[in-house]
Structure formats: structure tokens, C-alpha cells
Amino acid sequence: MPLPVRLTPESCASATRTLARRDPALARLVKAHGPCTLGTRPRRDSFSSLVRAIIFQQLSTGAATTIYTRVMATMQATQCPPAATWLCTPEDQLRAAGLSGQKTRYILDLCRHVTDGSLDTRGLHRMPDEDVIATLTQVKGIGRWTAEMFLMFHLQRPDVLPLGDLGVVTGFARTYGDGTKPSADLITTHAEAWRPYRSIGSWYMWRALEA
């Protein structure tokens, strides 16, 4: 089975031009905000990306970065250590570094899935999108939204439509409506025109909030 497609700088640029031709409202966002940057970021390993995703949930980037840095210092690491190291670190040390009890439990559950072999983070890049979501959501604290962000920003998949993301929904309302929250069905129907590049269309919905 061939590997799923992932975005590259070249394919992202080509896809952005395609969507701009199809959708005049998107074309205006492309002109205002420049090229989409999905597919241009260097990738971390999947395990460390998932750890960061859990830590960054429901926090500002600044606050989450501070906590992440403190946790790494507590573990005497300059980058995310392997799962076994997390499991050997006393929970009270992680809590003292600023990690909430809930997120500590989530990360340790992720680590147990990795160490017992029930989650092969190195094989995620070979899975179709929905299989990735089904696999990751078995871990406590990883819901569909977190899995979709992982697909978009880590695996750099081109056709993700995160209907549960408030920014995407609000950006859609500003771009295509009068600001009233649209239904998931309405967004899904409109985004058919974005296939197979719904990740890029979603990225521009976030940019619409910067106007």
C-alpha cells in the first residue's frame, strides 16, 4: 500500500493556487495573508509531538511553552525524552514543574501505550487519516481535535477538516456568512470544493481571524 500523501512546500503552494482559482473568498485571504505554511515546518518525532500537543491543550502558547521548558528542566532533558523516562519520573516532580494532574495522567497514559506496544508512534505516518484518529483517541486526553491537529501539523496531511475547531468555525462565519455560527453540515458541504486540500482551506479560516 502506498504511503498517504503529505504536504511539501511545493505541493502546498500548488494546492493554494488551485483553491484560490476555485474559491474567490479564499483567493482574497491568500492575497491578504500570503502562502499557506503547512508542509514547510520541520517535523519532530511523533511521540514528542503528541506530548507537546497534550501540554499545549487549552493554554496560550506562552504559558504552555513555559511549562514545557520547566518540565524538560525537571527531567534534565533538552528535548522530549522517551516514554520510559517519563514513566520513571515521580509524578510530584512533573506537577511541581507546572504540569496539571490531569495532563500528567494523560502523558503517562500515552507513555504506557507506547511502552506496551499498543501504540506504534513510528507507524502512524503509514496510516490513513481516520485510522490515525481512531488509534490516537484510544489514549486518555487525546480527542478527535488533538488527533486532527496532529494530522495537519505533524503528519502534514492535506485533506483534514477540523469541524470541532472554534477558529475554523469562526473564520468560516466571517468569510462566508454574517458572523453567525454555521452548522457542521454547511461547512462540510462548502468544503467539498476544497478537496483534496481541506487542510489548506482550514488554515485560511484561521487567517481570517487575523483581519
Side-chain angles (χ1 to χ4, degrees):
M1 184 190 309
L3 290 177
V5 173
R6 76 176 184 89
L7 288 167
T8 64
E10 294 76 20
S11 66
C12 191
S14 175
T16 300
R17 291 191 295 269
T18 297
L19 291 187
R21 288 193 296 269
R22 292 180 188 172
D23 188 326
L26 270 186
R28 290 191 291 272
L29 289 171
V30 171
K31 183 176 181 179
H33 298 281
C36 177
T37 59
L38 290 175
T40 64
R41 301 180 180 185
R43 296 197 297 172
R44 301 179 179 88
D45 68 275
S46 292
F47 173 71
S48 64
S49 291
L50 290 169
V51 168
R52 285 179 64 90
I54 292 172
I55 291 175
F56 277 63
Q57 285 173 356
Q58 298 179 325
L59 291 175
S60 69
T61 300
T65 300
T66 297
I67 292 172
Y68 184 85
T69 301
R70 288 175 180 169
V71 171
M72 292 301 104
T74 293
M75 302 175 78
Q76 299 181 337
T78 56
Q79 56 186 5
C80 183
T85 303
W86 285 90
L87 291 171
C88 291
T89 303
E91 291 186 36
D92 59 349
Q93 290 186 20
L94 299 174
R95 297 284 302 278
L99 200 59
S100 70
Q102 186 177 60
K103 289 186 178 180
T104 299
R105 291 191 293 273
Y106 291 166
I107 291 173
L108 295 181
D109 188 62
L110 169 64
C111 293
R112 284 188 284 269
H113 276 78
V114 170
T115 55
D116 69 15
S118 59
L119 174 56
D120 176 16
T121 55
R122 291 173 296 183
L124 291 170
H125 73 284
R126 294 191 294 269
M127 294 182 181
D129 292 359
E130 287 300 325
D131 288 355
V132 171
I133 292 171
T135 298
L136 292 182
T137 52
Q138 296 176 37
V139 178
K140 292 178 182 177
I142 298 181
R144 186 177 182 92
W145 178 85
T146 300
E148 288 172 337
M149 295 303 103
F150 178 84
L151 282 168
M152 289 180 69
F153 292 100
H154 177 70
L155 295 183
Q156 298 169 339
R157 298 291 173 84
D159 199 34
V160 180
L161 181 64
L163 293 170
D165 186 271
L166 180 60
V168 169
V169 173
T170 305
F172 187 94
R174 289 189 181 182
T175 304
Y176 299 102
D178 58 2
T180 303
K181 181 181 178 181
S183 67
D185 287 345
L186 178 62
I187 298 173
T188 301
T189 299
H190 182 91
E192 284 299 307
W194 299 348
R195 284 186 184 271
Y197 307 119
R198 291 181 299 172
S199 296
I200 294 174
S202 299
W203 188 88
Y204 279 106
M205 294 305 96
W206 289 319
R207 302 290 77 74
L209 300 179
E210 300 171 5

